[in-house]
Structures are given as structure tokens and as C-alpha cells.
Amino acid sequence: MTTAQSASGGRLDTDHGTASDEIIVAVVNGVGLITLNRPKALNALSYRMLRLLGDQLSAWQHEDGVRAVVLRGAGDRAFCAGGDVRVVCQSFRDKTPLHRQFFIDEYRLDYLLHRYPKPVVALMDRIVMGGGMGLAQAAAWRLVTERSRIAMPETGIGMLPDVGASHFLSKMPAPLALYLGITGVTLSAADTLLCGLADEGISTQELEDVEGILARVRWRDAESPLAAMQQAYGHDSAVTIEGATLTAVLPAIHRHFNPSKRVGVIVAALARETDVRYAAWAQATLELLASRSPTMMEVTRALLLRGRRMDLADCFRMEQHAVMQTFVQGDFLEGVRALLVDKDRSPRWKPERLEAVDDAEVARFFASTTAAASSPLREMAWQ
């Protein structure tokens, strides 16, 4: 059990909560507050965290005393930097079931959040990437601060944008979605607002007084729970869309990342960019793409374009099958080795060049109709 305290040390109106070494749970004035509590690991999601989060959210959806849920990260470095990929890759090497069950339960948790009957608020402070985006993008109200750094950087470790990216990136224009997913570029808070991946900016001061703000929420029967929570925040416009740097290069993004273009064509066109307004952006983008897995960039392009024609459940099914194929293909294991284990930052992608990526290999990531029939991924209970 935890007890929330105000800045002055006074006791707030709290209910029973639970604490573990990996998440901290409390109820403050009718709001369920969950803190991801692995700050040294940038609050990366362990398998135990997934199970604890799922159990807690499942319990709260039936509790009348909980009107809404807030998700935040412990420490001053991240909301959540993703999933514990080193562990899942080692599981695959050791031929244990953890890597498969990890993704089954992660998708089950994210689907629960997308369909949650009570409003969920995500405090997207500092680093929010990968699995952290899966949590945050399922929320009804997504808040960033001036120090937020947002990305889906999976192609850099030989993976593909998962945890619902084929769904939530489909809400923006296709060229912008392809740019974000293929490059894995990191966004500022203002750019996150521009892309529609956050709803509002708040100051870090408001973030640091979450318990105090929740204690001041005034519940009115005629008002929705989310509206009541929004009213409690000061809305000081610490971050606005006007500060977005992507605005200046949107014409180039739309031209280069046209959905009709394969990644190799995009790279060649970026190398020929002569407009002085976009030259620096084109060079930076080329450098990012050069560090990414060629196969996963092409798979990501196909994944994001397919997702635009699917509903949430079908996006999740597609992604789950594709994720399992990343272990078989091998770039995911190699990317984690090079960037997170040995840290030599020299992954040996298969193949090394975009022009060598086989269309049949890309297609295998989406051949799920037959393969999924006997897959443990069918254990997912879609509702």
C-alpha cells in the first residue's frame, strides 16, 4: 500500500494501493495512479511489469471508486523507453517461451488500454519510445512536457514499429507516418503535438505535482471524468505546436516519403535533394537511414501501409505475427547485440544493402493467415 503526500507533507485523500519493486500503485481522489518504477532501466517494461499492469487495470475497470487512471514513469529520465528487449532476445536464443509470451501479454495489455471503459491519461515526460508508446498512444489524454523525447526507433535495432504503431501512425498522413516509422527519428514535444501523437503540453511543474493536482479534481455528476481531470490542470501552454521544427520540412517529407516509393527510391531521391531549404534535413535523414536494418525498413513500409486499411484488432494480429518473424530473420537479435549488449554499434544486417532485400522475405512477415492458425498468438482474446 502507498500513501500519496502533498508537497507540504500533508496527507491526501487516498485509498488502498499496492506497491512492488517494478510498479507503484495508489488511488488519489478517485484516480488510479500507476507509476512505472524501473528508473535505472528508463522504466523499460519487464514481463513482470506487463502482468502487474494488466492485473491492476483489469481490477480497476470494475471498481466504482476509480473513475480514471493516470500512467507515469518514476525518476527524471523517462516515462518508458520500451520493452526489455535484451531479455526477450536471450529467451529466443535459449529456446524458452518467454519471448513469445512477452509479446502476447504486451499486446493484451495495450488492447485493454485502447478499449478501457474509463479515461486513461499518459504523462509522456522525458523519453517515450517503443513499448512506452504502446501504453501512451492507447490513452484518452496524452500529455507532453518541454523535455519530452518521443520515437518509434525499432528499425535501428532490427525490429519493426510494433505495439499498435500500424494503427496509431495511420491517423496521420501516410508520408509522415512512413517518415517516422522507417527512420525512427526522435521528436520534440512540439513535433509530437504536430504529428497528433500527443494532445496537450504541460509544464514540468504541473507534472511534478501530480498527486496535488489529482487531489483537487472536482467530480461533478453531469461532467465526464476526463473533462473533470482536464479542468484540474492549469493549461499554461508550456509546449505548443508553434514550436514544431518539422513544419518547415513537411513539403519535403510528403515528396520523399510518398507511399508509392520503395525505401531504396526514397534514399536515392534524398541523396539528390538540391533545395537549400531541405538539404540539411535530407542529409540528416540519410544518415539515420544508413544506420537502420534494410529489411526492417522495407517491412516497416509494408506494415504501415497495410495498417491503414485495418481496424485495431487486425493491426495487432498483423504486428504480432510480424514481430515473431523478426526473431527468425535475425536482424533483431543482431541489432540488440550490437547496440545494447556488446555496444560496438556495428550491426551486421542481413542483407547489408537495401537493393538486396528480397520481396519474398518481406512478404513472409505478413503470411499470417495460415501460419497463425496454429500459433500461440491465437490465445489473444479480442473483445
Side-chain angles (χ1 to χ4, degrees):
M1 186 174 112
T2 63
T3 302
Q5 300 288 328
S6 71
S8 62
R11 192 183 186 91
L12 299 177
D13 176 19
T14 65
D15 200 348
H16 292 291
T18 61
S20 77
D21 56 340
E22 295 191 342
I23 69 169
I24 300 172
V25 178
V27 178
V28 182
N29 187 25
V31 180
L33 178 60
I34 297 179
T35 305
L36 308 179
N37 191 38
R38 295 183 69 206
K40 291 183 179 179
L42 302 180
N43 298 318
L45 296 168
S46 69
Y47 181 64
R48 184 163 180 258
M49 288 174 78
L50 295 176
R51 296 300 298 269
L52 289 168
L53 286 165
D55 289 347
Q56 186 62 66
L57 288 164
S58 295
W60 273 345
Q61 67 181 334
H62 302 299
E63 289 189 17
D64 292 339
V66 176
R67 299 177 181 234
V69 174
V70 171
L71 302 176
R72 67 174 176 179
D76 60 359
R77 299 172 64 197
F79 168 73
C80 175
D84 198 340
V85 293
R86 282 176 290 191
V87 170
V88 296
C89 286
Q90 190 60 49
S91 165
F92 179 81
R93 291 192 179 95
D94 294 341
K95 299 182 179 180
T96 69
L98 175 61
H99 67 287
R100 190 177 296 270
Q101 195 62 46
F102 183 98
F103 286 103
I104 289 173
D105 286 340
E106 183 174 28
Y107 274 90
R108 182 178 287 118
L109 170 63
D110 290 341
Y111 194 79
L112 172 63
L113 283 167
H114 275 278
R115 294 290 184 260
Y116 207 64
K118 301 174 183 182
V120 177
V121 178
L123 303 181
M124 301 168 64
D125 185 40
R126 298 284 191 174
I127 296 171
V128 189
M129 297 182 180
M133 285 288 278
L135 300 178
Q137 294 307 310
W141 198 31
R142 303 157 301 170
L143 301 176
V144 287
T145 72
E146 62 269 25
R147 57 191 185 185
S148 294
R149 294 295 178 266
I150 313 296
M152 291 297 291
E154 285 79 6
T155 56
I157 57 168
M159 193 23 153
L160 51 88
D162 62 334
V163 293
S166 62
H167 172 73
F168 61 75
L169 291 182
S170 71
K171 298 177 182 180
M172 64 185 68
L176 185 55
L178 292 172
Y179 169 64
L180 298 184
I182 294 171
T183 68
V185 65
T186 299
L187 301 176
S188 68
D191 285 323
T192 303
L193 290 169
L194 174 71
C195 293
L197 295 173
D199 300 299
E200 194 164 345
I202 61 172
S203 69
T204 54
Q205 183 178 0
E206 284 185 285
L207 186 80
E208 290 163 359
D209 189 28
V210 173
E211 289 90 344
I213 290 172
L214 296 182
R216 294 193 294 271
V217 175
R218 299 181 63 184
W219 304 108
R220 300 178 178 88
D221 291 339
E223 189 174 45
S224 73
L226 181 57
M229 294 188 66
Q230 291 171 333
Q231 188 63 34
Y233 278 83
H235 308 289
D236 63 357
S237 299
V239 180
T240 67
I241 199 171
E242 283 72 25
T245 59
L246 280 183
T247 303
V249 295
L250 280 178
I253 290 173
H254 280 262
R255 175 159 48 87
H256 287 293
F257 286 83
N258 186 291
S260 66
K261 295 182 178 180
R262 296 286 296 268
V263 181
V265 175
I266 293 172
V267 169
L270 286 167
R272 297 192 302 268
E273 179 61 71
T274 58
D275 192 320
V276 294
R277 295 172 297 175
Y278 309 129
W281 168 84
Q283 182 58 41
T285 302
L286 281 170
E287 291 172 4
L288 264 182
L289 294 174
S291 69
R292 286 7 188 176
S293 157
T295 298
M296 290 304 110
M297 286 193 290
E298 288 290 5
V299 170
T300 294
R301 174 183 174 272
L303 180 92
L304 297 182
L305 293 178
R306 286 168 179 258
R308 300 182 76 82
R309 306 189 299 270
M310 297 178 176
D311 63 13
L312 176 66
D314 283 338
C315 281
F316 273 28
R317 291 189 183 98
M318 172 181 65
E319 288 182 17
Q320 282 189 308
H321 178 77
V323 164
M324 289 300 107
Q325 297 309 302
T326 65
F327 291 100
V328 178
Q329 188 270 342
D331 275 4
F332 183 27
L333 302 174
E334 173 61 12
V336 170
R337 179 207 65 77
L339 280 85
L340 301 177
V341 179
D342 296 341
K343 299 183 180 180
D344 57 44
R345 305 190 69 82
S346 299
R348 296 180 289 274
W349 304 127
K350 299 187 301 185
E352 295 182 348
R353 295 176 294 108
L354 269 167
E355 54 267 31
V357 176
D358 182 16
D359 287 347
E361 177 67 24
V362 174
R364 274 192 282 273
F365 283 79
F366 305 100
S368 58
T369 303
T370 301
S374 59
S375 170
L377 297 179
R378 287 183 62 84
E379 296 172 10
M380 176 65 71
W382 304 108
Q383 299 184 16

